[in-house]
Coordinates of all heavy atoms in Angstrom, one line a residue:
M1 N 25.0 -33.2 -110.4 CA 24.1 -34.3 -110.2 C 25.0 -35.6 -110.4 O 25.9 -35.5 -111.2 CB 23.0 -34.3 -111.2 CG 22.0 -35.4 -110.9 SD 20.5 -35.3 -112.0 CE 19.6 -34.1 -111.2
T2 N 24.7 -36.6 -109.8 CA 25.4 -37.9 -109.9 C 25.1 -38.7 -111.1 O 24.0 -38.5 -111.7 CB 25.0 -38.7 -108.6 OG1 25.8 -39.9 -108.6 CG2 23.6 -39.0 -108.4
D3 N 26.0 -39.6 -111.4 CA 25.7 -40.5 -112.5 C 25.0 -41.7 -112.1 O 24.7 -42.6 -113.0 CB 27.1 -40.9 -113.2 CG 27.7 -39.7 -113.9 OD1 27.0 -38.8 -114.3 OD2 28.9 -39.7 -114.0
D4 N 24.8 -42.0 -110.9 CA 24.1 -43.1 -110.4 C 22.6 -43.0 -110.7 O 21.9 -42.2 -110.3 CB 24.3 -43.3 -108.9 CG 23.7 -44.5 -108.3 OD1 22.9 -45.2 -109.0 OD2 24.0 -44.8 -107.1
P5 N 22.1 -44.0 -111.5 CA 20.6 -44.0 -111.9 C 19.7 -43.9 -110.7 O 18.7 -43.2 -110.7 CB 20.5 -45.2 -112.7 CG 21.8 -45.7 -113.2 CD 22.8 -45.2 -112.1
D6 N 20.1 -44.6 -109.7 CA 19.2 -44.7 -108.5 C 19.1 -43.3 -107.8 O 18.0 -42.8 -107.4 CB 19.6 -45.7 -107.4 CG 19.4 -47.1 -107.9 OD1 18.5 -47.3 -108.8 OD2 20.2 -48.0 -107.5
D7 N 20.3 -42.6 -107.8 CA 20.3 -41.2 -107.2 C 19.5 -40.3 -108.1 O 18.8 -39.4 -107.6 CB 21.8 -40.8 -107.1 CG 22.4 -41.4 -105.8 OD1 21.8 -42.1 -105.0 OD2 23.7 -41.4 -105.8
R8 N 19.7 -40.4 -109.4 CA 19.0 -39.5 -110.3 C 17.5 -39.7 -110.1 O 16.6 -38.7 -110.2 CB 19.4 -39.8 -111.8 CG 20.7 -39.2 -112.1 CD 21.0 -39.1 -113.6 NE 20.7 -40.4 -114.2 CZ 21.6 -41.3 -114.5 NH1 22.9 -41.2 -114.2 NH2 21.4 -42.4 -115.2
H9 N 17.0 -41.0 -110.0 CA 15.6 -41.3 -109.8 C 15.1 -40.7 -108.5 O 14.0 -40.1 -108.5 CB 15.4 -42.9 -109.8 CG 14.0 -43.3 -109.9 ND1 13.2 -43.3 -111.0 CD2 13.2 -43.7 -108.9 CE1 12.1 -43.7 -110.8 NE2 12.0 -44.0 -109.5
A10 N 15.8 -40.8 -107.4 CA 15.4 -40.2 -106.2 C 15.4 -38.7 -106.2 O 14.4 -38.1 -105.7 CB 16.4 -40.7 -105.1
V11 N 16.3 -38.1 -106.9 CA 16.3 -36.6 -107.0 C 15.1 -36.3 -107.8 O 14.4 -35.2 -107.5 CB 17.6 -36.1 -107.7 CG1 17.5 -34.7 -108.1 CG2 18.8 -36.4 -106.7
R12 N 14.8 -36.9 -108.9 CA 13.6 -36.7 -109.7 C 12.4 -36.7 -108.9 O 11.5 -35.9 -109.0 CB 13.6 -37.5 -110.9 CG 12.5 -37.2 -111.9 CD 12.6 -38.0 -113.1 NE 11.5 -37.7 -114.0 CZ 11.1 -38.4 -115.0 NH1 11.6 -39.7 -115.2 NH2 10.2 -38.0 -115.8
I13 N 12.2 -37.7 -108.1 CA 11.0 -37.9 -107.2 C 10.9 -36.8 -106.3 O 9.8 -36.2 -106.1 CB 11.1 -39.3 -106.4 CG1 10.9 -40.4 -107.5 CG2 10.1 -39.3 -105.4 CD1 11.1 -41.8 -106.9
R14 N 12.0 -36.3 -105.6 CA 12.0 -35.2 -104.7 C 11.5 -34.0 -105.4 O 10.7 -33.2 -104.9 CB 13.3 -35.1 -104.0 CG 13.6 -36.0 -102.9 CD 14.8 -35.7 -102.0 NE 16.0 -35.5 -102.7 CZ 16.9 -36.5 -103.1 NH1 16.6 -37.7 -102.7 NH2 18.0 -36.2 -103.7
R15 N 12.1 -33.7 -106.6 CA 11.7 -32.5 -107.3 C 10.2 -32.5 -107.7 O 9.5 -31.5 -107.6 CB 12.6 -32.4 -108.5 CG 14.0 -32.0 -108.2 CD 14.8 -31.8 -109.5 NE 16.2 -31.3 -109.1 CZ 17.2 -31.3 -109.9 NH1 17.1 -31.8 -111.1 NH2 18.4 -30.9 -109.5
L16 N 9.7 -33.7 -108.2 CA 8.3 -33.8 -108.6 C 7.4 -33.7 -107.3 O 6.3 -33.1 -107.4 CB 8.0 -35.1 -109.3 CG 8.5 -35.2 -110.7 CD1 8.4 -36.6 -111.2 CD2 7.6 -34.1 -111.6
C17 N 7.8 -34.2 -106.2 CA 7.1 -34.1 -105.0 C 7.0 -32.6 -104.5 O 5.9 -32.1 -104.2 CB 7.6 -34.9 -103.8 SG 7.4 -36.6 -104.0
Y18 N 8.1 -31.9 -104.6 CA 8.1 -30.5 -104.3 C 7.1 -29.7 -105.3 O 6.3 -28.9 -104.8 CB 9.5 -29.9 -104.4 CG 9.5 -28.4 -104.1 CD1 9.5 -28.0 -102.7 CD2 9.4 -27.5 -105.0 CE1 9.5 -26.7 -102.4 CE2 9.4 -26.1 -104.8 CZ 9.4 -25.7 -103.4 OH 9.4 -24.3 -103.1
R19 N 7.3 -30.0 -106.6 CA 6.5 -29.3 -107.6 C 5.0 -29.6 -107.4 O 4.2 -28.7 -107.5 CB 7.0 -29.7 -109.0 CG 6.3 -29.0 -110.1 CD 7.1 -29.4 -111.4 NE 6.2 -29.1 -112.5 CZ 6.2 -29.7 -113.6 NH1 7.1 -30.6 -113.8 NH2 5.4 -29.4 -114.6
A20 N 4.7 -30.8 -107.1 CA 3.3 -31.2 -106.9 C 2.6 -30.5 -105.7 O 1.5 -30.3 -105.7 CB 3.1 -32.7 -106.8
G21 N 3.5 -30.2 -104.7 CA 3.0 -29.5 -103.5 C 3.0 -28.0 -103.5 O 2.7 -27.4 -102.5
H22 N 3.5 -27.5 -104.6 CA 3.7 -26.0 -104.8 C 3.2 -25.5 -106.2 O 4.0 -24.9 -106.8 CB 5.1 -25.6 -104.5 CG 5.6 -26.0 -103.2 ND1 6.0 -27.2 -102.8 CD2 5.6 -25.1 -102.0 CE1 6.4 -27.2 -101.5 NE2 6.2 -25.9 -101.0
T23 N 2.0 -25.9 -106.5 CA 1.5 -25.6 -107.9 C 1.0 -24.1 -107.9 O 1.0 -23.5 -109.0 CB 0.4 -26.5 -108.3 OG1 -0.8 -26.2 -107.4 CG2 0.8 -28.0 -108.3
G24 N 0.6 -23.6 -106.8 CA -0.1 -22.3 -106.8 C -1.5 -22.4 -106.5 O -2.2 -21.3 -106.4
M25 N -2.0 -23.5 -106.5 CA -3.5 -23.7 -106.2 C -3.5 -24.6 -105.0 O -3.2 -25.8 -105.1 CB -4.3 -24.2 -107.4 CG -5.7 -24.3 -107.2 SD -6.5 -24.9 -108.7 CE -8.2 -24.7 -108.3
R26 N -4.0 -24.1 -103.8 CA -3.9 -24.8 -102.6 C -4.6 -26.2 -102.7 O -4.1 -27.2 -102.2 CB -4.6 -24.1 -101.5 CG -4.5 -24.7 -100.1 CD -3.0 -24.6 -99.7 NE -2.9 -25.2 -98.4 CZ -1.9 -25.9 -98.0 NH1 -0.9 -26.1 -98.7 NH2 -1.9 -26.4 -96.8
E27 N -5.8 -26.3 -103.4 CA -6.5 -27.6 -103.5 C -5.5 -28.6 -104.2 O -5.5 -29.8 -103.9 CB -7.8 -27.4 -104.2 CG -8.8 -26.6 -103.5 CD -8.6 -25.1 -103.7 OE1 -7.6 -24.7 -104.4 OE2 -9.5 -24.3 -103.2
I28 N -5.0 -28.2 -105.3 CA -4.1 -29.1 -106.1 C -2.9 -29.5 -105.3 O -2.4 -30.6 -105.3 CB -3.8 -28.5 -107.5 CG1 -5.0 -28.4 -108.3 CG2 -2.7 -29.3 -108.2 CD1 -5.7 -29.7 -108.7
D29 N -2.3 -28.5 -104.5 CA -1.1 -28.8 -103.7 C -1.5 -29.9 -102.8 O -0.6 -30.8 -102.6 CB -0.7 -27.6 -103.0 CG -0.2 -26.4 -103.8 OD1 0.0 -26.6 -105.0 OD2 -0.1 -25.3 -103.3
L30 N -2.6 -29.8 -102.1 CA -2.9 -30.8 -101.1 C -3.2 -32.2 -101.8 O -2.6 -33.2 -101.3 CB -4.3 -30.4 -100.4 CG -4.1 -29.2 -99.5 CD1 -5.4 -28.8 -99.0 CD2 -3.1 -29.5 -98.4
I31 N -3.9 -32.2 -102.9 CA -4.1 -33.5 -103.6 C -2.9 -34.1 -104.2 O -2.5 -35.2 -103.9 CB -5.2 -33.3 -104.6 CG1 -6.6 -32.9 -103.9 CG2 -5.5 -34.6 -105.5 CD1 -7.6 -32.4 -104.9
L32 N -2.3 -33.3 -105.1 CA -1.2 -33.8 -105.9 C 0.1 -34.0 -105.0 O 0.9 -35.0 -105.1 CB -0.8 -33.0 -107.1 CG -1.8 -33.1 -108.3 CD1 -1.3 -32.3 -109.4 CD2 -1.9 -34.6 -108.8
G33 N 0.3 -33.0 -104.1 CA 1.5 -33.1 -103.2 C 1.4 -34.4 -102.3 O 2.3 -35.1 -102.2
G34 N 0.2 -34.5 -101.8 CA 0.0 -35.7 -100.9 C 0.2 -37.0 -101.6 O 0.8 -38.0 -101.2
F35 N -0.4 -37.1 -102.8 CA -0.3 -38.3 -103.7 C 1.2 -38.5 -104.0 O 1.7 -39.7 -103.9 CB -1.2 -38.1 -105.0 CG -1.0 -39.3 -105.9 CD1 -1.7 -40.5 -105.7 CD2 0.0 -39.3 -106.9 CE1 -1.6 -41.5 -106.5 CE2 0.1 -40.4 -107.7 CZ -0.6 -41.5 -107.6
A36 N 1.9 -37.5 -104.5 CA 3.3 -37.5 -104.9 C 4.1 -38.1 -103.7 O 4.9 -39.1 -103.8 CB 3.8 -36.3 -105.3
R37 N 3.9 -37.5 -102.6 CA 4.8 -37.9 -101.4 C 4.4 -39.4 -101.0 O 5.3 -40.1 -100.6 CB 4.5 -37.0 -100.2 CG 5.2 -35.6 -100.4 CD 5.1 -34.8 -99.1 NE 3.7 -34.6 -98.7 CZ 2.9 -33.6 -99.2 NH1 3.3 -32.8 -100.1 NH2 1.7 -33.5 -98.7
A38 N 3.2 -39.8 -101.1 CA 2.8 -41.2 -100.8 C 3.1 -42.3 -101.8 O 3.4 -43.4 -101.4 CB 1.3 -41.2 -100.5
H39 N 3.2 -41.8 -103.1 CA 3.3 -42.9 -104.1 C 4.4 -42.8 -105.2 O 4.7 -43.8 -105.8 CB 1.9 -43.0 -104.8 CG 0.8 -43.5 -103.9 ND1 0.8 -44.8 -103.5 CD2 -0.2 -42.8 -103.3 CE1 -0.2 -44.9 -102.6 NE2 -0.9 -43.7 -102.5
L40 N 5.0 -41.7 -105.4 CA 6.0 -41.5 -106.5 C 7.2 -42.4 -106.3 O 7.8 -42.8 -107.3 CB 6.4 -40.1 -106.7 CG 5.4 -39.1 -107.3 CD1 6.1 -37.8 -107.6 CD2 4.8 -39.7 -108.6
H41 N 7.5 -42.8 -105.0 CA 8.6 -43.8 -104.9 C 8.3 -45.1 -105.5 O 9.2 -45.9 -105.7 CB 8.9 -43.9 -103.4 CG 7.8 -44.6 -102.6 ND1 6.7 -43.9 -102.2 CD2 7.7 -45.9 -102.2 CE1 5.9 -44.8 -101.5 NE2 6.5 -46.0 -101.6
E42 N 7.0 -45.4 -105.8 CA 6.6 -46.7 -106.4 C 6.8 -46.6 -107.9 O 6.7 -47.6 -108.6 CB 5.2 -46.9 -106.1 CG 4.8 -47.1 -104.6 CD 3.4 -47.0 -104.3 OE1 2.6 -46.9 -105.3 OE2 3.0 -47.0 -103.1
F43 N 6.9 -45.4 -108.5 CA 6.9 -45.2 -109.9 C 8.3 -45.5 -110.5 O 9.3 -45.0 -110.0 CB 6.5 -43.8 -110.2 CG 5.0 -43.5 -110.1 CD1 4.3 -44.1 -109.1 CD2 4.4 -42.6 -111.0 CE1 3.0 -43.8 -108.9 CE2 3.0 -42.4 -110.8 CZ 2.3 -42.9 -109.8
D44 N 8.3 -46.1 -111.8 CA 9.5 -46.2 -112.5 C 9.6 -44.9 -113.4 O 8.8 -44.0 -113.3 CB 9.4 -47.4 -113.5 CG 8.3 -47.5 -114.4 OD1 7.6 -46.4 -114.6 OD2 8.2 -48.5 -115.0
D45 N 10.7 -44.8 -114.2 CA 10.8 -43.6 -115.0 C 9.6 -43.3 -115.9 O 9.3 -42.1 -116.1 CB 12.1 -43.7 -115.8 CG 13.4 -43.5 -114.9 OD1 13.3 -42.8 -113.9 OD2 14.4 -44.0 -115.3
D46 N 9.0 -44.3 -116.5 CA 7.9 -44.1 -117.4 C 6.7 -43.5 -116.6 O 6.1 -42.6 -117.0 CB 7.5 -45.4 -118.0 CG 6.4 -45.2 -119.0 OD1 6.5 -44.4 -119.9 OD2 5.4 -46.0 -118.9
G47 N 6.5 -44.0 -115.3 CA 5.5 -43.5 -114.5 C 5.7 -42.0 -114.1 O 4.8 -41.3 -114.1
L48 N 7.0 -41.8 -113.8 CA 7.3 -40.4 -113.5 C 7.2 -39.4 -114.7 O 6.7 -38.3 -114.5 CB 8.8 -40.3 -112.9 CG 9.1 -41.0 -111.7 CD1 10.5 -40.8 -111.3 CD2 8.2 -40.4 -110.5
D49 N 7.5 -39.9 -115.9 CA 7.2 -39.2 -117.1 C 5.6 -38.8 -117.2 O 5.4 -37.7 -117.5 CB 7.6 -40.0 -118.4 CG 9.1 -40.1 -118.5 OD1 9.9 -39.4 -117.9 OD2 9.5 -40.9 -119.3
R50 N 4.8 -39.8 -117.0 CA 3.4 -39.6 -117.1 C 2.9 -38.6 -116.0 O 2.1 -37.7 -116.3 CB 2.6 -40.9 -116.9 CG 2.9 -41.8 -118.2 CD 1.9 -43.0 -118.3 NE 1.9 -43.7 -117.0 CZ 2.7 -44.8 -116.7 NH1 3.6 -45.2 -117.6 NH2 2.5 -45.4 -115.6
F51 N 3.5 -38.7 -114.8 CA 3.1 -37.7 -113.7 C 3.6 -36.3 -114.1 O 2.9 -35.4 -114.0 CB 3.7 -38.2 -112.4 CG 3.2 -37.4 -111.3 CD1 2.0 -37.6 -110.7 CD2 4.0 -36.3 -110.8 CE1 1.5 -36.9 -109.6 CE2 3.5 -35.6 -109.7 CZ 2.3 -35.9 -109.1
E52 N 4.8 -36.3 -114.7 CA 5.3 -35.0 -115.1 C 4.5 -34.3 -116.2 O 4.2 -33.1 -116.3 CB 6.7 -35.1 -115.6 CG 7.5 -33.9 -115.6 CD 9.0 -34.1 -115.5 OE1 9.5 -35.2 -115.8 OE2 9.7 -33.2 -115.2
V53 N 3.9 -35.1 -117.2 CA 3.1 -34.6 -118.2 C 1.8 -34.1 -117.6 O 1.4 -33.0 -118.0 CB 2.9 -35.8 -119.3 CG1 1.6 -35.3 -120.2 CG2 4.0 -36.1 -120.1
L54 N 1.3 -34.8 -116.7 CA 0.1 -34.4 -116.0 C 0.4 -32.9 -115.3 O -0.4 -32.1 -115.4 CB -0.4 -35.4 -115.0 CG -1.6 -35.0 -114.2 CD1 -2.8 -35.0 -115.1 CD2 -1.8 -36.0 -113.0
M55 N 1.5 -32.9 -114.7 CA 1.9 -31.6 -113.9 C 2.1 -30.4 -114.9 O 2.1 -29.3 -114.5 CB 3.1 -31.9 -113.0 CG 2.9 -32.8 -111.9 SD 1.9 -32.1 -110.6 CE 2.7 -30.5 -110.3
S56 N 2.3 -30.7 -116.1 CA 2.6 -29.6 -117.1 C 1.3 -28.8 -117.5 O 1.4 -27.8 -118.1 CB 3.3 -30.2 -118.3 OG 2.4 -30.9 -119.1
H57 N 0.2 -29.3 -117.0 CA -1.1 -28.6 -117.4 C -1.4 -27.5 -116.3 O -1.0 -27.6 -115.2 CB -2.2 -29.7 -117.5 CG -2.0 -30.5 -118.7 ND1 -1.3 -31.6 -118.6 CD2 -2.5 -30.4 -119.9 CE1 -1.2 -32.2 -119.9 NE2 -2.0 -31.5 -120.6
A58 N -2.3 -26.7 -116.7 CA -2.7 -25.6 -115.8 C -3.4 -26.1 -114.6 O -4.1 -27.1 -114.7 CB -3.7 -24.6 -116.6
E59 N -3.2 -25.5 -113.5 CA -3.9 -25.9 -112.2 C -5.4 -26.0 -112.3 O -5.9 -27.0 -111.8 CB -3.5 -24.9 -111.1 CG -2.1 -24.9 -110.7 CD -1.2 -24.0 -111.6 OE1 -1.8 -23.3 -112.4 OE2 0.0 -24.0 -111.4
A60 N -6.0 -25.1 -113.0 CA -7.5 -25.2 -113.1 C -7.9 -26.4 -113.9 O -8.9 -27.0 -113.5 CB -8.0 -23.9 -113.8
D61 N -7.2 -26.9 -114.9 CA -7.4 -28.0 -115.7 C -7.2 -29.2 -114.8 O -8.1 -30.2 -114.8 CB -6.6 -28.1 -116.9 CG -6.9 -27.1 -117.9 OD1 -8.1 -26.6 -118.0 OD2 -6.0 -26.8 -118.8
L62 N -6.1 -29.3 -114.1 CA -5.8 -30.4 -113.2 C -7.0 -30.6 -112.2 O -7.4 -31.7 -111.9 CB -4.5 -30.2 -112.4 CG -3.3 -30.3 -113.3 CD1 -2.0 -29.8 -112.5 CD2 -3.0 -31.7 -113.7
F63 N -7.4 -29.5 -111.5 CA -8.5 -29.6 -110.5 C -9.8 -30.1 -111.2 O -10.4 -30.9 -110.6 CB -8.7 -28.2 -109.9 CG -9.7 -28.2 -108.8 CD1 -9.3 -28.8 -107.6 CD2 -11.0 -27.8 -108.9 CE1 -10.2 -28.9 -106.5 CE2 -11.9 -27.9 -107.9 CZ -11.5 -28.5 -106.7
A64 N -10.1 -29.5 -112.4 CA -11.3 -30.0 -113.0 C -11.3 -31.5 -113.4 O -12.2 -32.3 -113.2 CB -11.6 -29.2 -114.3
W65 N -10.1 -32.0 -113.8 CA -10.0 -33.4 -114.2 C -10.0 -34.3 -113.0 O -10.6 -35.3 -112.9 CB -8.7 -33.6 -114.9 CG -8.6 -33.0 -116.2 CD1 -9.6 -32.6 -117.1 CD2 -7.4 -32.5 -116.9 NE1 -9.1 -32.0 -118.2 CE2 -7.8 -31.9 -118.1 CE3 -6.0 -32.5 -116.6 CZ2 -6.9 -31.4 -119.1 CZ3 -5.1 -32.0 -117.5 CH2 -5.5 -31.5 -118.7
I66 N -9.3 -33.8 -111.9 CA -9.3 -34.7 -110.7 C -10.7 -34.6 -110.0 O -11.1 -35.7 -109.5 CB -8.2 -34.2 -109.7 CG1 -6.8 -34.4 -110.4 CG2 -8.3 -34.8 -108.3 CD1 -5.6 -33.8 -109.6
A67 N -11.3 -33.5 -110.0 CA -12.7 -33.4 -109.4 C -13.7 -34.2 -110.3 O -14.8 -34.5 -109.7 CB -13.1 -31.9 -109.3
G68 N -13.4 -34.4 -111.5 CA -14.3 -35.2 -112.4 C -15.3 -34.2 -113.0 O -16.3 -34.7 -113.6
S69 N -15.2 -33.0 -112.9 CA -16.2 -32.0 -113.5 C -15.9 -31.8 -115.1 O -16.9 -31.4 -115.7 CB -16.2 -30.7 -112.8 OG -14.9 -30.1 -112.8
V70 N -14.8 -32.1 -115.5 CA -14.5 -32.1 -116.9 C -13.7 -33.3 -117.3 O -12.7 -33.7 -116.5 CB -13.6 -30.8 -117.2 CG1 -13.1 -30.8 -118.6 CG2 -14.3 -29.6 -116.8
P71 N -14.0 -34.0 -118.5 CA -13.3 -35.2 -118.8 C -11.8 -34.8 -119.1 O -11.6 -33.7 -119.8 CB -13.9 -35.7 -120.0 CG -14.9 -34.7 -120.4 CD -15.0 -33.7 -119.4
P72 N -10.8 -35.6 -118.8 CA -9.4 -35.3 -119.1 C -9.1 -35.4 -120.6 O -9.8 -36.1 -121.3 CB -8.6 -36.3 -118.3 CG -9.6 -37.5 -118.1 CD -10.9 -36.9 -118.0
S73 N -8.1 -34.8 -121.0 CA -7.5 -34.8 -122.3 C -7.3 -36.3 -122.7 O -6.9 -37.1 -121.8 CB -6.3 -34.1 -122.4 OG -5.6 -34.3 -123.6
E74 N -7.6 -36.7 -123.9 CA -7.4 -38.0 -124.4 C -5.9 -38.5 -124.2 O -5.6 -39.6 -124.1 CB -7.8 -38.2 -125.8 CG -9.3 -38.2 -126.0 CD -10.0 -39.4 -125.4 OE1 -9.4 -40.5 -125.3 OE2 -11.1 -39.2 -124.9
S75 N -5.0 -37.5 -124.2 CA -3.5 -37.8 -124.2 C -3.1 -38.1 -122.8 O -2.0 -38.6 -122.7 CB -2.7 -36.7 -124.8 OG -2.9 -35.5 -124.0
L76 N -3.8 -37.9 -121.8 CA -3.4 -38.1 -120.4 C -3.6 -39.5 -120.0 O -4.5 -40.2 -120.5 CB -4.2 -37.2 -119.4 CG -3.9 -35.7 -119.6 CD1 -4.7 -34.9 -118.6 CD2 -2.4 -35.5 -119.4
D77 N -2.8 -39.9 -119.0 CA -2.9 -41.3 -118.4 C -4.1 -41.3 -117.5 O -4.1 -40.9 -116.4 CB -1.6 -41.5 -117.7 CG -1.6 -42.9 -117.1 OD1 -2.7 -43.6 -116.8 OD2 -0.5 -43.4 -116.8
R78 N -5.2 -41.9 -118.0 CA -6.4 -41.9 -117.2 C -6.3 -42.8 -115.9 O -7.0 -42.6 -114.9 CB -7.6 -42.3 -118.1 CG -8.0 -41.3 -119.1 CD -8.9 -41.7 -120.1 NE -9.1 -40.6 -121.2 CZ -10.2 -39.9 -121.2 NH1 -11.2 -40.1 -120.4 NH2 -10.3 -38.9 -122.0
G79 N -5.5 -43.8 -116.1 CA -5.2 -44.7 -114.9 C -4.6 -43.9 -113.8 O -4.9 -44.1 -112.6
L80 N -3.7 -43.1 -114.2 CA -3.0 -42.3 -113.1 C -4.0 -41.2 -112.5 O -4.0 -41.1 -111.3 CB -1.8 -41.5 -113.8 CG -1.1 -40.5 -112.9 CD1 -0.6 -41.1 -111.7 CD2 0.0 -39.7 -113.7
L81 N -4.9 -40.7 -113.4 CA -5.9 -39.8 -112.8 C -6.8 -40.6 -111.8 O -7.2 -40.0 -110.8 CB -6.6 -39.1 -113.9 CG -6.0 -38.0 -114.6 CD1 -6.7 -37.5 -115.8 CD2 -5.9 -36.8 -113.6
R82 N -7.1 -41.8 -112.2 CA -8.1 -42.6 -111.3 C -7.4 -42.8 -110.0 O -8.0 -42.8 -108.9 CB -8.4 -43.9 -112.0 CG -9.6 -43.8 -112.9 CD -10.1 -45.2 -113.4 NE -9.2 -46.0 -114.0 CZ -8.9 -45.9 -115.3 NH1 -9.6 -45.0 -116.1 NH2 -8.0 -46.6 -116.0
R83 N -6.0 -43.1 -110.0 CA -5.3 -43.3 -108.8 C -5.3 -42.1 -107.9 O -5.4 -42.1 -106.7 CB -3.8 -43.7 -109.0 CG -3.7 -45.2 -109.4 CD -2.2 -45.6 -109.5 NE -1.7 -45.7 -108.1 CZ -0.4 -45.9 -107.9 NH1 0.5 -46.0 -108.8 NH2 0.0 -46.0 -106.6
I84 N -5.0 -41.0 -108.6 CA -5.0 -39.7 -107.9 C -6.4 -39.4 -107.2 O -6.5 -39.0 -106.1 CB -4.5 -38.5 -108.8 CG1 -3.1 -38.8 -109.1 CG2 -4.7 -37.2 -108.1 CD1 -2.6 -37.9 -110.2
R85 N -7.5 -39.6 -108.0 CA -8.8 -39.4 -107.5 C -9.1 -40.3 -106.3 O -9.8 -39.9 -105.4 CB -9.9 -39.6 -108.6 CG -10.0 -38.5 -109.6 CD -11.3 -38.8 -110.5 NE -11.1 -38.1 -111.7 CZ -11.0 -38.6 -112.9 NH1 -11.2 -39.9 -113.1 NH2 -10.9 -37.8 -113.9
A86 N -8.6 -41.5 -106.3 CA -8.9 -42.4 -105.3 C -8.0 -42.2 -104.0 O -8.3 -42.8 -103.0 CB -8.7 -43.9 -105.8
F87 N -7.0 -41.4 -104.1 CA -6.1 -41.2 -103.0 C -6.8 -40.5 -101.9 O -7.4 -39.5 -102.1 CB -4.9 -40.4 -103.6 CG -4.0 -39.9 -102.5 CD1 -3.1 -40.9 -101.8 CD2 -3.9 -38.6 -102.0 CE1 -2.2 -40.5 -100.8 CE2 -3.0 -38.3 -101.0 CZ -2.2 -39.2 -100.4
R88 N -6.5 -41.1 -100.7 CA -7.0 -40.5 -99.5 C -5.7 -40.4 -98.5 O -5.2 -41.5 -98.2 CB -8.1 -41.2 -98.8 CG -9.3 -41.4 -99.7 CD -10.1 -40.0 -99.9 NE -11.2 -40.1 -100.7 CZ -11.2 -39.9 -102.0 NH1 -10.1 -39.6 -102.6 NH2 -12.3 -40.0 -102.7
P89 N -5.3 -39.2 -98.1 CA -4.2 -39.2 -97.2 C -4.4 -40.1 -96.0 O -5.5 -40.1 -95.4 CB -4.1 -37.7 -96.8 CG -4.8 -37.0 -97.9 CD -5.8 -38.0 -98.4
G90 N -3.4 -40.9 -95.6 CA -3.5 -41.8 -94.5 C -4.0 -43.1 -94.8 O -4.1 -43.9 -93.9
H91 N -4.5 -43.3 -96.0 CA -5.0 -44.6 -96.5 C -4.2 -45.1 -97.7 O -3.7 -44.3 -98.5 CB -6.5 -44.5 -96.9 CG -7.3 -44.0 -95.9 ND1 -7.6 -42.7 -95.6 CD2 -8.1 -44.8 -95.0 CE1 -8.4 -42.7 -94.6 NE2 -8.7 -43.8 -94.2
S92 N -4.0 -46.3 -97.8 CA -3.2 -46.9 -98.9 C -4.2 -47.4 -100.0 O -5.4 -47.5 -99.6 CB -2.4 -48.1 -98.5 OG -3.0 -48.9 -97.6
L93 N -3.8 -47.3 -101.2 CA -4.6 -47.7 -102.4 C -4.7 -49.1 -102.6 O -3.8 -49.8 -102.3 CB -4.1 -46.9 -103.7 CG -4.2 -45.5 -103.6 CD1 -3.6 -44.9 -104.9 CD2 -5.6 -45.0 -103.5

């Protein structure tokens, strides 16, 4: 890996996009993968950290939180979840 911070940031975004699109649950892959590809390039390192924390949870929990059927954990970034819920492929937020 390179020592250039911009390159490290870009690599991190690519890895998170891949991970978000390959969770093992098709619905989450479509939602989070699409969101990641459309918006992670806008995130700074802190934002990527928050997205990565979200991605560390079980797919069933992610789906319930994004669908709004279960309230998210207090420790999660609720603003990020709102952005993900509002995301529509092909539309900007």
